[in-house]
Amino acid sequence: MSIDLLEGNPKEKLGFDPNELRAKYRYERDKRLREEGNAQYQEVADEFASYTDDPYTEWVERDPLNDEVQVAIIGGGFGGLLMGGRLREAGFDDIRVIEKAGDFGGTWYWNRYPGAMCDVESYCYLPLLEELNYIPKHKYSYAPEIFEHSKAIARHYDLYKNACLQTGVSEMRWDDSSGRWIIHTDRGDAIRAQFVAMANGPLNRPKLPGIPGIATFKGHTFHTSRWDYDYTGGDSDGNLTGLRDKRVAIIGTGATAVQCIPHLGEWAKHLYVLQRTPSSIDVRNNRETESDFAQQLEPGWQQRRMDNFNILVSGGDQDEDLVSDGWTEIFRNLTGIAAKTASRELGRRLSSREKGQLMELLDFQKMNQVRDRAEAIVNDPDTAAALKPWYRQFCKRPCFHDEYLPTFNRPNVTLVDTDGRGVERITERGIVANGTEYPVDCIVFATGFEVGTSYTRRAGYEITGRNGLSLTDKWAKGWRTLFGLQANGFPNCFFLGFTQTALSVNVPHALNEQAKHVTYILDQARQRGATRIEATLEAEDMWLAEMKDKSRIAERFYAECTPGYYNNEGKLDTNNGFFAGTYGAGPIKFFRILDDWRSTGRLEGVELT
Ligand code: NDP
């Protein structure tokens, strides 16, 4: 692709009219904008609270604890596991992981729906592969393997010792006189901790659609993150024999639904897929790990592969693309790398207008390819047309799957496209969409997770810092942190995740950098004999200014996008939305900032006492 695309009559050169496409995207977005924004969703609380019950592990009674640990880690997913692992490596012994689930694994503990897998390459995504001497079985791992790997990490670093599983934190309060956090739980525990690392996860709290009548349905329902295999039969590999005589509806067509719909389609007597906005579905092309893969690897291979992938999916250049998949392809072709290539061809820098135009044209081309794929695979022309996404590639999370689109060729599968309106009503008997009632036995909610609600609501408990300041109040008007990891008023407390840190397509990579940084700070405190560590207000101001400065490009991009959790359901909120919590200059720059900060040894902006 070269810059001459921008010259002459684009319609003739491209085979499509960019103005028409632009107008179509806007029309499709406007149709979906809803006045209620994020408030359209039903919180999983009160009469809906049981949607978050753990269907996977039997409840084990235990006596309440009233004791003390040096470091409490809240959350046993990849954030908590990496934090625990890095602390162990640095010689911290007195660690306790507190986890609501019955085991380690986080998202991979909860998300066991049929077909669950990770679409980021396993050799990059599964953390600590060299430390554990493990090579994943496929290029893209299935959920059970990732869950097993999570448990293996916990065993490797001895994190089961002293852990409190099946334990939900109910409150966390700083006691200034003793310099300890007091963590109360739903088990009646009162655990004192000198340091706390919060690894609650960015998409941890399921949400339901606020559809009128949702509570009146007399059939069976569950959320994809709490799959009811007692009802459906089978397991993560499929084999859902319990659905042979069932009419099933699934609400939602995001990344989760895309993975489980092929299995529902295979086993349900009839499947209705209720669609509001189609996902972009590109080629998956999974394969088994080649038998000689491990033999070619040199020590340090995983970090090198992760770095190579991270640079490419952050718009940077690399001589070699080690992963070479759909992710690296779209980033290579739709981001700054493409502009750099065009600029080289042209022998001059592109103006920012030219750059913007080029990016848009390339995006149109890519999405045309995605739309053509739907048309080529799905037999019924109306169904194929309804499965075409009309927005830019990164407006919603790109999906990669080879069995999703063919599922709509099954005679027992009906796509109910709601033309952006969503499900109208739920009745005692089923679902109403486009004025038609579809009687069903079971409704599966593939409606995602809370984003953009307050941190403490998503965590499920309040955190009260110095001078009685609650975290809810502190962040009521938006995040305030130093590098996303520390906050003034909350000494000895560290936040992992996307609370003003950088997002990477490979989330565990980002969590690993955060865990290393927190470990460095705790190690420094130990070496210097400090017992309290707290970010200053000035340091928060500095980071807030940097966050705001770097957020403008993403804000402009997402303002034009179809609604979703990336853009706060179309009501861009520069304080609380998903991208307000992520650093706009990207992970490469962010990791470098952390590195540089550590290398000075000055702990600038952090008070140690
Ligand atoms: P999403 O939030 O992406 O999708 C929710 C779906 O529910 C959307 O299709 C949404 O439609 C639909 N919906 C919501 N309300 C209604 C309604 N009233 N009527 C009809 N439809 C409705 O959640 P997911 O669980 O699919 O994915 C969440 C994230 O989890 C992903 O973005 C990804 O980051 C991660 N994930 C990663 C995977 C991986 O391979 N690594 C696999 C699966 C998930 P609309 O689009 O119109 O809002």
Side-chain angles (χ1 to χ4, degrees):
M1 167 55 54
S2 88
I3 190 69
D4 61 28
L5 270 185
L6 300 176
E7 286 149 10
N9 179 347
K11 200 170 171 180
E12 269 169 27
K13 282 192 179 160
L14 298 164
F16 62 86
D17 183 345
N19 288 328
E20 273 172 24
L21 268 182
R22 211 172 290 125
K24 170 77 173 159
Y25 283 14
R26 211 162 285 147
Y27 169 75
E28 292 289 334
R29 178 204 59 183
D30 290 350
K31 227 162 50 178
R32 289 171 172 81
L33 287 172
R34 295 168 67 128
E35 195 36 51
E36 324 92 280
N38 228 340
Q40 69 178 280
Y41 293 104
Q42 169 62 53
E43 185 180 0
V44 177
D46 306 322
E47 64 179 311
F48 299 98
S50 61
Y51 277 92
T52 56
D53 287 352
D54 184 347
Y56 311 125
T57 307
E58 216 149 288
W59 185 252
V60 180
E61 285 299 338
R62 68 164 171 82
D63 292 331
L65 294 166
N66 191 329
D67 61 0
E68 179 162 328
V69 293
Q70 188 184 17
V71 189
I73 298 171
I74 302 179
F78 280 155
L81 288 164
L82 283 158
M83 190 70 252
R86 296 303 177 208
L87 284 173
R88 281 273 197 259
E89 286 168 352
F92 287 88
D93 267 344
D94 190 8
I95 297 175
R96 170 174 292 154
V97 176
I98 304 173
E99 167 59 62
K100 208 183 190 114
D103 212 326
F104 286 87
T107 195
W108 300 105
Y109 175 90
W110 294 113
N111 288 286
R112 302 184 189 195
Y113 56 83
M117 68 183 305
C118 183
D119 61 11
V120 176
E121 197 205 51
S122 61
Y123 320 122
C124 291
Y125 181 81
L126 269 66
L128 304 162
L129 288 177
E130 283 189 81
E131 286 83 344
L132 270 75
N133 197 18
Y134 183 71
I135 301 291
K137 297 189 183 80
H138 294 88
K139 186 167 172 76
Y140 304 98
S141 289
Y142 293 93
E145 184 184 26
I146 311 178
F147 179 35
E148 283 310 313
H149 185 65
S150 306
K151 291 188 274 186
I153 296 171
R155 282 193 300 274
H156 182 82
Y157 289 105
D158 206 12
L159 297 173
Y160 279 100
K161 187 179 87 184
N162 213 19
C164 291
L165 301 174
Q166 295 189 314
T167 303
V169 172
S170 51
E171 192 208 5
M172 205 174 113
R173 188 174 285 273
W174 174 251
D175 176 36
D176 209 45
S177 59
S178 63
R180 295 291 182 270
W181 285 97
I182 320 285
I183 304 167
H184 291 278
T185 75
D186 56 8
R187 296 286 196 148
D189 306 312
I191 300 164
R192 290 177 298 286
Q194 188 181 7
F195 302 106
V196 181
M198 315 280 296
N200 307 48
L203 294 168
N204 66 322
R205 193 151 195 249
K207 69 180 193 278
L208 294 172
I211 299 170
I214 183 171
T216 61
F217 182 60
K218 292 264 198 283
H220 198 71
T221 63
F222 55 88
H223 187 273
T224 47
S225 66
R226 307 289 189 273
W227 196 271
D228 189 350
Y229 284 109
D230 285 344
Y231 181 82
T232 65
D235 56 26
S236 188
D237 290 335
N239 208 24
L240 311 175
T241 51
L243 298 182
R244 272 194 186 123
D245 58 348
K246 302 284 191 300
R247 297 157 303 172
V248 179
I250 180 163
I251 301 183
T253 49
T256 298
V258 164
Q259 294 183 341
C260 65
I261 280 171
H263 293 279
L264 289 173
E266 186 181 346
W267 292 96
K269 183 175 160 204
H270 200 96
L271 176 68
Y272 297 96
V273 177
L274 279 300
Q275 174 178 274
R276 193 164 67 177
T277 312
S279 279
S280 152
I281 318 287
D282 214 338
V283 178
R284 163 68 311 145
N285 200 12
N286 198 7
R287 51 190 176 271
E288 284 181 13
T289 301
E290 280 150 26
S291 53
D292 60 347
F293 179 77
Q295 285 139 37
Q296 305 158 5
L297 302 171
E298 306 272 337
W301 70 267
Q302 196 188 17
Q303 188 65 50
R304 281 195 294 280
R305 198 172 183 98
M306 281 163 40
D307 287 340
N308 177 267
F309 181 71
N310 186 49
I311 290 169
L312 286 170
V313 296
S314 306
D317 236 340
Q318 288 282 278
D319 290 338
E320 199 184 357
D321 179 353
L322 294 172
V323 171
S324 187
D325 71 354
W327 281 112
T328 57
E329 187 225 279
I330 52 178
F331 275 94
R332 249 196 341 259
N333 294 336
L334 301 183
T335 64
I337 315 175
K340 267 187 225 148
T341 311
S343 161
R344 265 199 300 268
E345 280 176 23
L346 201 64
R348 67 165 170 85
R349 284 173 78 93
L350 301 188
S351 69
S352 59
R353 191 165 157 273
E354 284 174 323
K355 199 172 150 189
Q357 280 178 326
L358 183 67
M359 298 291 95
E360 191 192 36
L361 289 179
L362 294 171
D363 204 310
F364 284 152
Q365 284 192 320
K366 176 68 210 173
M367 291 306 280
N368 276 342
Q369 203 183 321
V370 167
R371 288 186 281 266
D372 289 348
R373 185 167 183 255
E375 202 166 284
I377 294 176
V378 178
N379 298 336
D380 175 58
D382 290 342
T383 308
L387 286 163
K388 291 181 180 177
W390 298 102
Y391 46 79
R392 287 181 69 162
Q393 177 79 86
F394 296 114
C395 281
K396 280 189 178 285
R397 192 178 190 283
C399 296
F400 306 88
H401 211 283
D402 296 334
E403 289 83 38
Y404 176 71
L405 292 170
T407 300
F408 294 96
N409 292 333
R410 287 179 174 276
N412 67 322
V413 175
T414 306
L415 176 71
V416 183
D417 178 49
T418 63
D419 196 25
R421 289 184 298 266
V423 171
E424 215 169 286
R425 232 164 353 109
I426 293 181
T427 63
E428 286 187 9
R429 294 176 351 124
I431 287 186
V432 181
N434 310 326
T436 304
E437 184 178 27
Y438 297 88
V440 291
D441 302 297
C442 173
I443 301 175
V444 180
F445 292 110
T447 43
F449 303 86
E450 279 194 23
V451 175
T453 51
S454 77
Y455 180 88
T456 43
R457 169 171 150 167
R458 284 179 289 120
Y461 52 92
E462 186 56 272
I463 302 159
T464 308
R466 235 175 354 91
N467 302 325
L469 175 66
S470 75
L471 195 62
T472 309
D473 285 345
K474 170 150 181 117
W475 286 347
K477 292 201 186 100
W479 309 102
R480 276 191 68 88
T481 68
L482 172 60
F483 305 141
L485 300 168
Q486 294 173 267
N488 182 260
F490 295 79
N492 294 7
C493 182
F494 299 89
F495 303 91
L496 281 87
F498 303 112
T499 50
Q500 291 193 328
T501 60
L503 177 70
S504 166
V505 171
N506 186 13
V507 171
H509 187 173
L511 294 170
N512 188 32
E513 294 299 321
Q514 296 169 20
K516 283 196 307 200
H517 192 78
V518 173
T519 302
Y520 167 83
I521 296 174
L522 291 188
D523 184 47
Q524 286 296 309
R526 181 173 57 184
Q527 286 183 34
R528 299 173 193 206
T531 54
R532 288 186 198 209
I533 310 164
E534 187 175 344
T536 63
L537 276 172
E538 295 71 30
E540 282 184 352
D541 286 339
M542 176 282 294
W543 189 238
L544 191 59
E546 173 67 6
M547 285 292 296
K548 290 224 179 280
D549 185 54
K550 298 294 183 300
S551 66
R552 290 192 195 107
I553 295 175
E555 273 166 26
R556 272 202 300 274
F557 181 85
Y558 285 103
E560 297 288 320
C561 279
T562 192
Y565 77 81
Y566 278 6
N567 67 355
N568 210 35
E569 301 300 330
K571 292 199 146 195
L572 223 52
D573 178 342
T574 51
N575 289 325
N576 279 312
F578 188 67
F579 282 96
T582 58
Y583 180 49
I588 303 171
K589 172 113 193 270
F590 182 71
F591 298 164
R592 203 180 314 125
I593 290 173
L594 295 187
D595 253 349
D596 291 349
W597 186 89
R598 292 195 297 267
S599 68
T600 68
R602 290 201 300 270
L603 303 184
E604 234 166 298
V606 174
E607 273 174 4
L608 264 68
T609 47

